[in-house]
């Protein structure tokens, strides 16, 4: 008895004529679970941006006495939305272009040193940058300088992420291509700093 020739019975087996049942049905594969769209909160939802511009961020390294570039992106000055009559609060925020990594998170504080660079290509300022310890956690808590550092002493920055811990004031700089934006940043920060400096000290509680 001779064996069947290979390929015979193709119509019955569905091979070779394209009329067989598709392996995955009609191809309309549906996901088993529909995942909701993830919305990432940055901590800036309750803030109002009063200044925004593209720039490059630098930190002054005291031991080497050189400026170190920390990244490029959008530099912002944000005002916290507070209840009427509350003391104003503002912070500096900058995120790395493309991946939005937090580069700068610092409070505007009374007596904050500000200085325009030659040719108005940039602005230097003394702040405590809390961003170093907040990567992966975009909390809006920014460290405040300790009272002894409010005089404007510029030393190597040691990032701090908690308001109550204080931190060391470091010298930072943002450079921008447009001199008019640098000048506007200088005036904006100067006005905010002066407003904070002029606030009366809170009254002592009655004993």
């Amino acid at each position: 008895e001779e064996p069947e020739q290979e390929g015979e019975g193709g119509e019955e087996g569905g091979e070779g004529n394209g009329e067989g049942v598709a392996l995955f049905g009609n191809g309309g594969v549906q996901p088993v679970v529909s995942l909701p769209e993830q919305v990432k909160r940055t901590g800036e939802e309750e803030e109002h941006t009063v200044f925004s511009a593209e720039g490059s961020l630098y930190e002054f390294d005291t031991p080497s006495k050189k400026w170190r570039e920390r990244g490029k992106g959008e530099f912002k000055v944000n005002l916290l939305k507070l209840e009427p009559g509350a003391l104003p609060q503002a912070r500096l925020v900058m995120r790395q272009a493309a991946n939005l990594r937090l580069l700068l998170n610092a409070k505007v504080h009374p007596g904050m040193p500000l200085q325009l660079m030659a040719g108005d290509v940039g602005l230097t300022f003394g702040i405590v940058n809390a961003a170093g310890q907040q990567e992966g956690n975009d909390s809006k808590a920014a460290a405040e300088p300790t009272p002894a550092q409010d005089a404007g002493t510029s030393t190597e920055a040691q990032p701090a992420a908690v308001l109550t811990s204080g931190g060391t004031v470091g010298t930072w700089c943002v450079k921008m291509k447009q001199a008019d934006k640098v000048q506007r940043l200088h005036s904006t920060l100067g006005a905010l700093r002066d407003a904070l400096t002029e606030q009366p000290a809170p009254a002592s509680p009655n004993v």
Side-chain angles (χ1 to χ4, degrees):
E1 186 174 340
E2 294 183 2
E4 294 182 8
Q5 295 294 324
E6 188 174 2
E8 288 184 1
E11 291 187 5
E12 297 178 6
E15 294 181 5
N17 59 5
E19 296 179 1
V21 178
L23 181 61
F24 297 103
N26 59 5
V29 179
Q30 299 296 326
V32 177
V33 179
S34 179
L35 296 176
E37 183 178 353
Q38 297 294 323
V39 178
K40 183 178 180 181
R41 294 182 61 85
T42 65
E44 298 181 47
E45 289 77 13
E46 301 302 321
E47 299 176 355
H48 173 61
T49 300
V50 295
F51 176 87
S52 174
E54 297 295 320
S56 300
L57 183 68
Y58 296 83
E59 179 185 10
F60 187 74
D61 181 57
T62 302
S64 65
K65 297 183 178 180
K66 293 181 179 180
W67 289 101
R68 306 288 186 187
E69 184 174 350
R70 297 308 183 200
K72 300 174 189 266
E74 184 182 12
F75 183 98
K76 295 192 286 187
V77 180
N78 287 353
L79 286 179
L80 276 65
K81 298 176 182 177
L82 304 174
E83 295 296 328
L87 295 179
Q89 294 186 40
R91 66 168 177 152
L92 312 179
V93 180
M94 187 170 185
R95 298 180 186 277
Q96 177 68 43
N99 62 16
L100 301 182
R101 180 172 62 89
L102 192 63
L103 301 174
L104 179 67
N105 181 20
K107 272 203 163 188
V108 177
H109 60 90
M112 183 173 72
L114 297 171
Q115 184 175 350
L116 286 168
M117 301 184 74
D120 294 348
V121 297
L123 178 70
T124 64
F125 43 88
I127 47 90
V128 178
N129 187 6
Q133 294 186 1
Q134 292 179 324
E135 289 189 20
N137 178 23
D138 289 352
S139 168
K140 61 177 163 187
E144 293 189 79
T146 59
Q149 295 162 344
D150 273 348
T153 303
S154 295
T155 55
E156 185 178 9
Q158 299 293 331
V162 185
L163 282 169
T164 55
S165 68
T168 303
V169 176
T171 303
W172 293 72
C173 165
V174 60
K175 289 187 176 182
M176 300 173 183
K177 294 181 179 180
Q178 297 89 357
D180 61 319
K181 290 188 177 180
V182 176
Q183 295 164 0
R184 186 157 62 89
L185 173 61
H186 180 249
S187 61
T188 299
L189 289 180
L192 289 171
R193 175 197 60 189
D194 295 344
L196 293 171
T197 304
E198 293 169 3
Q199 291 294 330
S204 301
N206 296 326
V207 179

